[in-house]
Amino acid sequence: MAESTNSADALARLAAVIESRLPARGGDPEQSYVARLLHKGPDAFLKKVGEEATEVVMAAKDADHGGERGKIVNEVADLWFHTMIALAHYGLKPADVIAELERREGTSGIEEKALRKALAREGGAQ
């Protein structure tokens, strides 16, 4: 459990830095990459999320063909970082994601997906 706590702490520290770069908190786009992305708005940072997700896929495919597995870690770190920028923009924290993962713990992915579909059908029928 210590690893989980340390990981959550590291994510919380990074989230605090990202939040300090929010325009509402005086983040300076001339001084900070994060502030620059946030200043440009959702299209900019969401584009980066998409690009980084693609780079994760490419690194994994390369690793399947003898490429460096460490590149996957680097690309996932970039993806998480840019995703955390999106979370901050929308007033969310890594703890919100961790809580959702914990809520899902022990639930079959197949069952969870079926439940989401059933709830969507019920919501659409109203």
Side-chain angles (χ1 to χ4, degrees), residues 49-121:
V49 169
E51 289 172 2
E52 299 302 342
T54 299
E55 290 176 14
V56 169
V57 170
M58 298 309 295
K61 290 183 83 53
D62 287 347
D64 282 341
H65 295 84
E68 184 183 339
R69 290 178 38 204
K71 185 138 173 68
I72 299 170
V73 172
N74 292 336
E75 297 302 344
V76 169
D78 290 346
L79 175 60
W80 286 13
F81 176 76
H82 288 90
T83 302
M84 288 177 66
I85 293 171
L87 288 173
H89 174 80
Y90 294 108
L92 299 166
K93 299 184 178 306
D96 298 317
V97 177
I98 292 167
E100 175 60 15
L101 291 171
E102 288 173 339
R103 184 191 68 77
R104 294 180 185 186
E105 188 175 358
T107 302
S108 158
I110 294 169
E111 291 172 8
E112 201 274 334
K113 186 174 181 179
L115 178 61
R116 279 188 283 138
K117 283 184 177 181
L119 290 172
R121 278 193 303 271

